[in-house]
Amino acid sequence: MPDDCLFCRIIRGEIPAKLVAETPECVAFRDIDPQAPTHIVIVPRAHIPTLSDVKDPLIVGQMTRLATDLAKSEGVADSGFRVVVNTNAHGGQTVYHLHMHLLGGRRMGWPPG
Ligand code: AMP
Ligand code: ZN
């Protein structure tokens, strides 16, 4: 759990965030720069830099289940939503602690930018 990782610091409560859910494995909070009416970031408590560094794929399932539960509680499950895991430079990753974006509340475009 690196001292200087932004999301580790949010998980430890050292940096304030709008938490929306906590499970034994994951924490979810509102994105500070929302790109949709609902924009939640779901992170594992364990520091894993990128999706490519995942050793046990169970954690990705746990993150995904939390995303779909939150889509329901946010009221965007039926209208539709998107989950995104930006990975490395061309994927647009800026924070190197694995995270899943849950975006909803508006119609998304395709292809992504
Ligand atoms: P990514 O670009 O996929 O690595 O996503 C990182 C996300 O973290 C971006 O959407 C940022 O807006 C978001 N973010 C950065 N700092 C914070 C913060 N302090 N609290 C909540 N979200 C943040
Ligand atoms: Zn971290």
Side-chain angles (χ1 to χ4, degrees), residues 1-3 7 16 22 24-25 38 44 46 49 56 69 72 77 79 81 98 102 106 109 113:
M1 195 179 267
D3 291 343
F7 288 170
E22 293 193 71
E25 302 85 13
T38 292
D56 182 351
D69 286 348
K72 291 185 189 116
S79 54
F81 59 93
L98 174 63
L102 167 64
R106 66 167 172 83

Side-chain angles (χ1 to χ4, degrees), residues 6-7 10 15 29-33 39 86 92-95 99 101:
L6 175 63
F7 288 170
I10 288 175
I15 293 177
F29 49 89
R30 306 252 174 225
D31 198 290
I32 202 167
D33 182 22
H39 187 172
N86 296 327
Q93 186 171 6
T94 61
V95 178
H99 52 281
H101 296 262

Side-chain angles (χ1 to χ4, degrees), residues 1-2 5-8 46-48 96-97:
M1 195 179 267
C5 170
L6 175 63
F7 288 170
C8 283
H47 180 83
I48 302 168
Y96 281 79
H97 179 128

